[in-house]
Amino acid sequence: KWSKTPMLWTRGRGASVETFGQNIAYKFFPAAYVIGLKRLSTLFSILWGGMLWEEPDFKRRFLSALIMVAGAILILVKG
């Protein structure tokens, strides 16, 4: 359990940088674009949880995330 503590710190730092970048992006881009890109982070979080912590229902969560990513791509393409 405690052997993964350094990974948690790394994840926490990454999340802080992500949130900071997202807030900066809101100043320069429409919110729909920023939120669309933010949905990509969900995909990476699911991959991270499935590979490192072997969370349950990985396939269902991953498929759901892919649907969200498809929606984000549609927002970016169709504007």
Coordinates of all heavy atoms in Angstrom, one line a residue:
K1 N 0.8 -1.2 0.0 CA 0.0 0.0 0.0 C 0.9 1.3 0.0 O 0.7 2.1 -0.8 CB -0.9 0.0 1.2 CG -1.8 1.1 1.3 CD -2.8 1.0 2.5 CE -3.7 2.1 2.6 NZ -4.6 2.0 3.7
W2 N 1.8 1.3 0.9 CA 2.7 2.5 1.0 C 3.8 2.6 0.0 O 4.4 3.6 -0.2 CB 3.2 2.7 2.4 CG 2.2 3.0 3.4 CD1 1.6 2.1 4.3 CD2 1.5 4.2 3.6 NE1 0.6 2.7 5.0 CE2 0.5 4.0 4.6 CE3 1.6 5.5 3.0 CZ2 -0.3 5.0 5.0 CZ3 0.7 6.5 3.4 CH2 -0.2 6.2 4.4
S3 N 4.0 1.5 -0.7 CA 5.0 1.4 -1.7 C 4.7 2.3 -2.9 O 5.6 2.7 -3.7 CB 5.3 0.0 -2.2 OG 4.2 -0.5 -2.8
K4 N 3.4 2.6 -3.1 CA 3.0 3.5 -4.2 C 2.9 5.0 -3.8 O 2.5 5.8 -4.6 CB 1.7 3.0 -4.7 CG 1.8 1.6 -5.3 CD 0.5 1.1 -6.0 CE 0.6 -0.3 -6.3 NZ 0.5 -0.7 -7.6
T5 N 3.3 5.3 -2.6 CA 3.3 6.7 -2.2 C 4.0 7.7 -3.1 O 3.4 8.7 -3.5 CB 3.8 6.9 -0.8 OG1 3.0 6.0 0.1 CG2 3.7 8.3 -0.3
P6 N 5.2 7.4 -3.6 CA 5.9 8.3 -4.6 C 5.0 8.5 -5.8 O 5.0 9.6 -6.4 CB 7.2 7.6 -4.9 CG 7.5 6.8 -3.7 CD 6.1 6.3 -3.2
M7 N 4.4 7.5 -6.3 CA 3.5 7.6 -7.5 C 2.3 8.6 -7.2 O 1.9 9.3 -8.0 CB 3.0 6.3 -7.9 CG 4.0 5.4 -8.5 SD 3.2 3.9 -9.0 CE 4.4 3.2 -10.0
L8 N 1.8 8.5 -6.0 CA 0.7 9.4 -5.6 C 1.2 10.8 -5.6 O 0.4 11.7 -6.0 CB 0.1 9.0 -4.3 CG -0.6 7.6 -4.2 CD1 -1.1 7.3 -2.8 CD2 -1.8 7.7 -5.1
W9 N 2.4 11.1 -5.1 CA 2.9 12.4 -5.1 C 3.1 12.9 -6.5 O 2.8 14.1 -6.8 CB 4.2 12.5 -4.3 CG 4.0 12.5 -2.8 CD1 4.2 11.5 -2.0 CD2 3.6 13.7 -2.1 NE1 3.9 11.9 -0.7 CE2 3.5 13.2 -0.7 CE3 3.3 15.0 -2.4 CZ2 3.2 14.1 0.3 CZ3 2.9 15.8 -1.3 CH2 2.9 15.4 0.0
T10 N 3.6 12.0 -7.4 CA 3.8 12.4 -8.8 C 2.4 12.7 -9.4 O 2.3 13.7 -10.2 CB 4.5 11.3 -9.5 OG1 5.7 11.0 -8.9 CG2 4.7 11.6 -11.0
R11 N 1.5 11.9 -9.2 CA 0.1 12.1 -9.7 C -0.5 13.4 -9.2 O -1.1 14.2 -9.9 CB -0.8 11.0 -9.4 CG -2.2 11.1 -9.8 CD -2.3 11.1 -11.3 NE -3.7 11.2 -11.7 CZ -4.2 12.1 -12.5 NH1 -3.4 13.0 -13.1 NH2 -5.5 12.2 -12.7
G12 N -0.2 13.7 -7.9 CA -0.7 15.0 -7.3 C -0.1 16.2 -8.0 O -0.8 17.2 -8.3
R13 N 1.2 16.1 -8.2 CA 1.8 17.2 -8.9 C 1.3 17.4 -10.3 O 1.1 18.5 -10.8 CB 3.4 17.0 -8.9 CG 4.0 17.2 -7.6 CD 5.5 17.1 -7.7 NE 6.0 16.8 -6.3 CZ 6.7 15.7 -6.0 NH1 7.0 14.8 -6.9 NH2 7.2 15.6 -4.8
G14 N 1.1 16.3 -11.0 CA 0.6 16.3 -12.3 C -0.8 16.9 -12.4 O -1.1 17.7 -13.3
A15 N -1.6 16.6 -11.4 CA -3.0 17.1 -11.4 C -2.9 18.6 -11.1 O -3.7 19.4 -11.7 CB -3.8 16.4 -10.3
S16 N -2.0 19.1 -10.3 CA -1.9 20.5 -10.0 C -1.5 21.3 -11.3 O -2.0 22.3 -11.6 CB -0.8 20.7 -8.9 OG -1.2 20.2 -7.7
V17 N -0.5 20.7 -12.0 CA -0.1 21.4 -13.2 C -1.2 21.4 -14.2 O -1.5 22.4 -14.9 CB 1.1 20.7 -13.8 CG1 1.5 21.1 -15.2 CG2 2.3 20.9 -12.9
E18 N -2.0 20.3 -14.3 CA -3.1 20.2 -15.2 C -4.2 21.2 -14.9 O -4.7 21.9 -15.8 CB -3.7 18.8 -15.1 CG -5.0 18.6 -15.9 CD -5.7 17.3 -15.6 OE1 -5.2 16.5 -14.8 OE2 -6.7 17.1 -16.2
T19 N -4.5 21.4 -13.6 CA -5.5 22.4 -13.2 C -5.0 23.8 -13.5 O -5.8 24.6 -14.0 CB -5.8 22.2 -11.7 OG1 -6.3 20.9 -11.5 CG2 -6.9 23.2 -11.3
F20 N -3.8 24.1 -13.3 CA -3.2 25.4 -13.5 C -3.3 25.7 -15.0 O -3.7 26.7 -15.5 CB -1.8 25.5 -13.1 CG -1.1 26.8 -13.3 CD1 -1.4 27.9 -12.6 CD2 -0.2 26.9 -14.4 CE1 -0.8 29.1 -12.9 CE2 0.4 28.1 -14.6 CZ 0.1 29.2 -13.9
G21 N -2.9 24.7 -15.8 CA -2.9 24.9 -17.3 C -4.4 25.1 -17.8 O -4.6 25.8 -18.7
Q22 N -5.3 24.3 -17.2 CA -6.7 24.5 -17.6 C -7.2 25.9 -17.3 O -7.9 26.5 -18.2 CB -7.5 23.4 -16.9 CG -9.0 23.5 -17.2 CD -9.8 22.4 -16.4 OE1 -9.2 21.6 -15.7 NE2 -11.1 22.5 -16.4
N23 N -6.9 26.4 -16.2 CA -7.3 27.7 -15.8 C -6.7 28.8 -16.8 O -7.4 29.8 -17.1 CB -7.0 28.0 -14.4 CG -7.9 27.3 -13.4 OD1 -9.1 27.0 -13.7 ND2 -7.4 26.9 -12.3
I24 N -5.5 28.6 -17.2 CA -4.9 29.5 -18.1 C -5.6 29.4 -19.5 O -5.8 30.4 -20.1 CB -3.4 29.2 -18.3 CG1 -2.6 29.5 -16.9 CG2 -2.7 30.0 -19.4 CD1 -2.7 30.9 -16.5
A25 N -5.9 28.2 -19.9 CA -6.5 27.9 -21.2 C -7.9 28.6 -21.3 O -8.3 29.1 -22.4 CB -6.7 26.4 -21.4
Y26 N -8.6 28.7 -20.1 CA -9.9 29.3 -20.2 C -9.8 30.8 -20.6 O -10.7 31.4 -21.1 CB -10.6 29.2 -18.8 CG -11.3 27.9 -18.5 CD1 -11.0 27.2 -17.4 CD2 -12.2 27.4 -19.4 CE1 -11.6 26.0 -17.1 CE2 -12.8 26.2 -19.2 CZ -12.5 25.5 -18.0 OH -13.1 24.3 -17.8
K27 N -8.7 31.4 -20.3 CA -8.5 32.8 -20.7 C -8.3 33.0 -22.2 O -8.6 34.1 -22.7 CB -7.2 33.4 -20.0 CG -7.4 33.6 -18.5 CD -6.2 34.2 -17.9 CE -6.4 34.5 -16.5 NZ -5.2 35.2 -15.9
F28 N -7.8 32.0 -22.9 CA -7.4 32.1 -24.3 C -8.3 31.4 -25.3 O -8.3 31.7 -26.5 CB -6.0 31.7 -24.5 CG -5.0 32.5 -23.7 CD1 -4.4 32.0 -22.6 CD2 -4.7 33.8 -24.1 CE1 -3.5 32.7 -21.9 CE2 -3.8 34.5 -23.4 CZ -3.2 34.0 -22.3
F29 N -9.1 30.4 -24.8 CA -9.9 29.6 -25.7 C -11.3 29.5 -25.2 O -11.6 29.6 -24.0 CB -9.3 28.2 -25.8 CG -7.9 28.1 -26.3 CD1 -6.8 27.9 -25.5 CD2 -7.6 28.3 -27.7 CE1 -5.5 27.9 -25.9 CE2 -6.3 28.3 -28.1 CZ -5.3 28.1 -27.3
P30 N -12.3 29.2 -26.1 CA -13.6 29.0 -25.6 C -13.7 27.8 -24.7 O -13.0 26.8 -24.8 CB -14.4 28.7 -26.9 CG -13.6 29.2 -28.0 CD -12.1 29.1 -27.5
A31 N -14.6 27.9 -23.7 CA -14.8 26.8 -22.7 C -15.0 25.5 -23.3 O -14.5 24.5 -22.8 CB -15.9 27.2 -21.7
A32 N -15.8 25.4 -24.4 CA -16.1 24.1 -25.0 C -14.8 23.4 -25.5 O -14.7 22.2 -25.3 CB -17.0 24.3 -26.2
Y33 N -13.8 24.1 -26.0 CA -12.6 23.6 -26.4 C -11.8 23.0 -25.2 O -11.2 22.0 -25.3 CB -11.8 24.6 -27.2 CG -12.3 24.9 -28.6 CD1 -11.8 25.9 -29.3 CD2 -13.4 24.2 -29.1 CE1 -12.3 26.3 -30.5 CE2 -13.9 24.6 -30.3 CZ -13.3 25.6 -31.1 OH -13.8 25.9 -32.3
V34 N -11.7 23.8 -24.2 CA -10.9 23.5 -23.0 C -11.5 22.2 -22.4 O -10.8 21.3 -22.0 CB -10.9 24.6 -22.0 CG1 -10.1 24.2 -20.7 CG2 -10.2 25.8 -22.6
I35 N -12.8 22.2 -22.2 CA -13.5 21.0 -21.6 C -13.3 19.8 -22.5 O -13.1 18.7 -22.0 CB -15.0 21.3 -21.4 CG1 -15.1 22.4 -20.3 CG2 -15.8 20.1 -21.0 CD1 -16.5 22.9 -20.1
G36 N -13.4 20.0 -23.8 CA -13.2 18.9 -24.7 C -11.8 18.3 -24.5 O -11.6 17.0 -24.5
L37 N -10.8 19.1 -24.4 CA -9.4 18.6 -24.2 C -9.3 18.0 -22.8 O -8.6 17.0 -22.6 CB -8.4 19.7 -24.4 CG -8.2 20.1 -25.8 CD1 -7.3 21.3 -25.9 CD2 -7.7 19.0 -26.6
K38 N -10.0 18.6 -21.8 CA -10.0 18.0 -20.5 C -10.5 16.6 -20.4 O -10.0 15.8 -19.6 CB -10.8 18.9 -19.5 CG -10.7 18.5 -18.1 CD -11.6 19.3 -17.2 CE -11.6 18.8 -15.8 NZ -12.7 19.2 -15.1
R39 N -11.4 16.3 -21.2 CA -12.0 14.9 -21.3 C -10.9 13.9 -21.6 O -11.0 12.7 -21.3 CB -13.1 14.8 -22.2 CG -14.3 15.8 -21.8 CD -15.6 15.1 -22.0 NE -16.7 16.0 -21.8 CZ -17.2 16.3 -20.6 NH1 -16.7 15.7 -19.6 NH2 -18.2 17.2 -20.5
L40 N -9.9 14.3 -22.4 CA -8.8 13.4 -22.7 C -8.1 13.0 -21.4 O -7.6 11.9 -21.3 CB -7.8 14.1 -23.6 CG -8.3 14.4 -25.0 CD1 -7.3 15.1 -25.9 CD2 -8.7 13.1 -25.7
S41 N -8.0 13.8 -20.4 CA -7.3 13.5 -19.2 C -8.0 12.3 -18.5 O -7.4 11.5 -17.8 CB -7.2 14.7 -18.2 OG -8.4 15.1 -17.7
T42 N -9.4 12.3 -18.7 CA -10.1 11.2 -18.1 C -9.7 9.8 -18.7 O -9.5 8.8 -17.9 CB -11.6 11.3 -18.4 OG1 -12.0 12.6 -17.9 CG2 -12.4 10.3 -17.7
L43 N -9.4 9.8 -20.0 CA -8.9 8.6 -20.6 C -7.6 8.2 -20.0 O -7.4 7.0 -19.7 CB -8.8 8.8 -22.1 CG -8.2 7.7 -22.9 CD1 -9.2 6.5 -22.9 CD2 -7.9 8.1 -24.3
F44 N -6.7 9.1 -19.8 CA -5.4 8.8 -19.2 C -5.5 8.3 -17.8 O -4.8 7.4 -17.3 CB -4.4 9.9 -19.4 CG -4.0 10.2 -20.8 CD1 -4.4 11.4 -21.4 CD2 -3.4 9.2 -21.6 CE1 -4.0 11.6 -22.7 CE2 -3.1 9.4 -22.9 CZ -3.4 10.6 -23.5
S45 N -6.4 8.9 -17.1 CA -6.6 8.5 -15.7 C -7.1 7.1 -15.6 O -6.7 6.3 -14.7 CB -7.6 9.5 -15.0 OG -7.1 10.7 -14.9
I46 N -8.0 6.7 -16.5 CA -8.6 5.4 -16.5 C -7.5 4.4 -16.9 O -7.3 3.3 -16.3 CB -9.8 5.3 -17.5 CG1 -10.9 6.0 -16.9 CG2 -10.1 3.8 -17.7 CD1 -12.1 6.2 -17.8
L47 N -6.6 4.7 -17.8 CA -5.5 3.9 -18.2 C -4.6 3.7 -17.0 O -4.1 2.6 -16.7 CB -4.8 4.4 -19.4 CG -5.4 4.3 -20.7 CD1 -4.7 5.1 -21.8 CD2 -5.5 2.9 -21.1
W48 N -4.3 4.8 -16.3 CA -3.4 4.8 -15.2 C -4.0 3.9 -14.1 O -3.2 3.0 -13.5 CB -3.2 6.2 -14.7 CG -2.3 6.4 -13.6 CD1 -2.6 6.3 -12.2 CD2 -0.9 6.8 -13.7 NE1 -1.5 6.7 -11.5 CE2 -0.4 7.0 -12.4 CE3 -0.1 7.1 -14.7 CZ2 0.9 7.3 -12.1 CZ3 1.2 7.5 -14.4 CH2 1.7 7.6 -13.1
G49 N -5.2 4.1 -13.8 CA -5.9 3.3 -12.7 C -5.9 1.8 -13.1 O -5.8 0.9 -12.2
G50 N -6.2 1.5 -14.3 CA -6.2 0.1 -14.8 C -4.9 -0.6 -14.7 O -4.8 -1.8 -14.3
M51 N -3.9 0.1 -15.1 CA -2.5 -0.5 -15.2 C -1.9 -0.6 -13.8 O -1.3 -1.6 -13.5 CB -1.6 0.2 -16.2 CG -2.1 0.1 -17.6 SD -0.9 0.8 -18.8 CE -0.8 2.5 -18.3
L52 N -1.9 0.5 -13.1 CA -1.2 0.5 -11.8 C -1.9 -0.1 -10.6 O -1.4 -0.7 -9.8 CB -0.8 2.0 -11.5 CG 0.2 2.6 -12.5 CD1 0.6 4.0 -12.0 CD2 1.5 1.7 -12.5
W53 N -3.2 0.2 -10.5 CA -4.0 -0.2 -9.4 C -5.0 -1.3 -9.7 O -5.8 -1.7 -8.8 CB -4.7 1.0 -8.7 CG -3.7 1.9 -8.0 CD1 -3.0 1.6 -6.9 CD2 -3.2 3.2 -8.5 NE1 -2.2 2.7 -6.6 CE2 -2.3 3.6 -7.5 CE3 -3.5 4.0 -9.6 CZ2 -1.6 4.8 -7.7 CZ3 -2.8 5.2 -9.7 CH2 -1.9 5.6 -8.8
E54 N -5.0 -1.7 -10.9 CA -5.9 -2.8 -11.3 C -7.4 -2.6 -10.8 O -8.0 -3.4 -10.2 CB -5.4 -4.1 -10.8 CG -4.0 -4.5 -11.3 CD -3.4 -5.7 -10.7 OE1 -4.1 -6.3 -9.9 OE2 -2.3 -6.0 -11.1
E55 N -7.9 -1.4 -11.1 CA -9.2 -1.0 -10.7 C -10.2 -1.9 -11.4 O -10.0 -2.4 -12.6 CB -9.5 0.4 -11.0 CG -8.8 1.4 -10.1 CD -9.1 2.8 -10.4 OE1 -9.8 3.1 -11.4 OE2 -8.7 3.7 -9.6
P56 N -11.4 -2.2 -10.8 CA -12.4 -3.1 -11.4 C -13.1 -2.3 -12.6 O -13.0 -1.1 -12.7 CB -13.4 -3.3 -10.3 CG -13.2 -2.2 -9.3 CD -11.8 -1.8 -9.5
D57 N -13.7 -3.1 -13.4 CA -14.5 -2.6 -14.6 C -13.7 -1.8 -15.5 O -14.2 -0.8 -16.1 CB -15.7 -1.8 -14.1 CG -16.7 -2.7 -13.4 OD1 -16.8 -3.9 -13.7 OD2 -17.4 -2.1 -12.5
F58 N -12.4 -2.2 -15.7 CA -11.5 -1.4 -16.6 C -12.1 -1.3 -18.0 O -12.1 -0.2 -18.6 CB -10.1 -2.0 -16.6 CG -9.2 -1.3 -17.6 CD1 -8.7 -0.1 -17.4 CD2 -8.9 -2.0 -18.8 CE1 -7.9 0.5 -18.3 CE2 -8.1 -1.4 -19.7 CZ -7.6 -0.1 -19.5
K59 N -12.6 -2.4 -18.6 CA -13.1 -2.3 -20.0 C -14.3 -1.4 -20.1 O -14.3 -0.6 -21.1 CB -13.4 -3.7 -20.4 CG -12.2 -4.6 -20.6 CD -12.6 -6.0 -21.1 CE -11.4 -6.9 -21.2 NZ -11.8 -8.2 -21.7
R60 N -15.2 -1.4 -19.2 CA -16.4 -0.6 -19.3 C -16.0 0.9 -19.1 O -16.5 1.7 -19.8 CB -17.4 -1.0 -18.2 CG -18.7 -0.2 -18.2 CD -19.6 -0.6 -17.1 NE -19.0 -0.4 -15.7 CZ -19.1 0.7 -15.0 NH1 -19.7 1.8 -15.6 NH2 -18.6 0.8 -13.8
R61 N -15.1 1.2 -18.2 CA -14.7 2.5 -18.0 C -13.9 3.1 -19.2 O -14.0 4.2 -19.6 CB -13.8 2.7 -16.7 CG -14.6 2.4 -15.5 CD -13.6 2.5 -14.3 NE -14.4 2.1 -13.1 CZ -14.0 2.4 -11.9 NH1 -12.9 3.0 -11.7 NH2 -14.7 2.0 -10.8
F62 N -13.0 2.2 -19.7 CA -12.2 2.6 -20.9 C -13.1 2.9 -22.1 O -13.0 3.9 -22.8 CB -11.2 1.6 -21.2 CG -10.2 2.0 -22.3 CD1 -9.3 2.9 -22.0 CD2 -10.3 1.4 -23.6 CE1 -8.4 3.3 -23.0 CE2 -9.4 1.8 -24.5 CZ -8.4 2.8 -24.3
L63 N -14.1 2.1 -22.3 CA -15.1 2.3 -23.4 C -15.9 3.6 -23.2 O -16.0 4.4 -24.2 CB -16.1 1.1 -23.5 CG -17.1 1.2 -24.6 CD1 -16.5 1.3 -26.0 CD2 -18.1 0.0 -24.6
S64 N -16.3 3.8 -22.0 CA -17.0 5.1 -21.7 C -16.1 6.3 -22.0 O -16.5 7.3 -22.5 CB -17.4 5.1 -20.2 OG -18.3 4.0 -20.0
A65 N -14.8 6.2 -21.6 CA -13.9 7.3 -21.8 C -13.7 7.5 -23.3 O -13.5 8.6 -23.8 CB -12.6 7.0 -21.1
L66 N -13.6 6.4 -24.1 CA -13.5 6.6 -25.5 C -14.6 7.3 -26.2 O -14.5 8.1 -27.1 CB -13.3 5.2 -26.2 CG -11.9 4.5 -26.0 CD1 -11.9 3.2 -26.7 CD2 -10.8 5.4 -26.6
I67 N -15.8 7.0 -25.6 CA -17.0 7.8 -26.1 C -16.9 9.3 -25.8 O -17.2 10.1 -26.7 CB -18.3 7.2 -25.5 CG1 -18.5 5.7 -26.1 CG2 -19.5 8.0 -25.8 CD1 -19.6 5.0 -25.4
M68 N -16.4 9.6 -24.6 CA -16.2 11.0 -24.3 C -15.1 11.6 -25.2 O -15.3 12.8 -25.6 CB -15.8 11.1 -22.8 CG -16.9 10.9 -21.9 SD -16.6 11.4 -20.2 CE -15.0 10.7 -19.8
V69 N -14.1 10.9 -25.5 CA -13.0 11.4 -26.4 C -13.6 11.6 -27.8 O -13.2 12.6 -28.4 CB -11.8 10.5 -26.4 CG1 -10.8 10.8 -27.5 CG2 -11.1 10.5 -25.0
A70 N -14.4 10.7 -28.2 CA -15.0 10.9 -29.5 C -15.9 12.2 -29.5 O -15.8 13.0 -30.5 CB -15.9 9.7 -29.9
G71 N -16.6 12.5 -28.5 CA -17.3 13.7 -28.4 C -16.4 14.9 -28.4 O -16.7 16.0 -29.0
A72 N -15.3 14.8 -27.7 CA -14.3 15.9 -27.7 C -13.7 16.2 -29.0 O -13.6 17.4 -29.5 CB -13.2 15.6 -26.7
I73 N -13.5 15.1 -29.8 CA -13.0 15.3 -31.1 C -14.0 16.0 -32.0 O -13.7 16.8 -32.8 CB -12.5 13.9 -31.7 CG1 -11.3 13.5 -31.0 CG2 -12.3 14.0 -33.2 CD1 -10.9 12.1 -31.3
L74 N -15.3 15.6 -31.9 CA -16.3 16.2 -32.6 C -16.4 17.7 -32.3 O -16.6 18.5 -33.2 CB -17.7 15.5 -32.4 CG -17.9 14.2 -33.0 CD1 -19.2 13.6 -32.6 CD2 -17.9 14.3 -34.5
I75 N -16.3 18.0 -31.1 CA -16.3 19.5 -30.7 C -15.2 20.2 -31.3 O -15.4 21.3 -31.9 CB -16.3 19.6 -29.1 CG1 -17.6 19.2 -28.5 CG2 -16.0 21.1 -28.8 CD1 -17.6 19.1 -27.0
L76 N -14.0 19.6 -31.3 CA -12.8 20.3 -31.9 C -12.9 20.4 -33.4 O -12.6 21.4 -34.0 CB -11.6 19.6 -31.5 CG -11.1 19.7 -30.0 CD1 -10.0 18.8 -29.7 CD2 -10.8 21.1 -29.7
V77 N -13.4 19.4 -34.0 CA -13.5 19.4 -35.5 C -14.7 20.3 -36.0 O -14.5 21.1 -36.9 CB -13.7 17.9 -36.0 CG1 -14.0 17.9 -37.5 CG2 -12.4 17.1 -35.8
K78 N -15.8 20.1 -35.4 CA -17.0 20.9 -35.9 C -17.0 22.3 -35.3 O -17.7 23.2 -35.9 CB -18.3 20.2 -35.5 CG -18.4 18.8 -36.1 CD -18.7 19.0 -37.6 CE -18.9 17.6 -38.2 NZ -19.1 17.7 -39.6
G79 N -16.3 22.6 -34.2 CA -16.2 23.9 -33.7 C -17.5 24.4 -33.3 O -17.9 25.5 -33.1

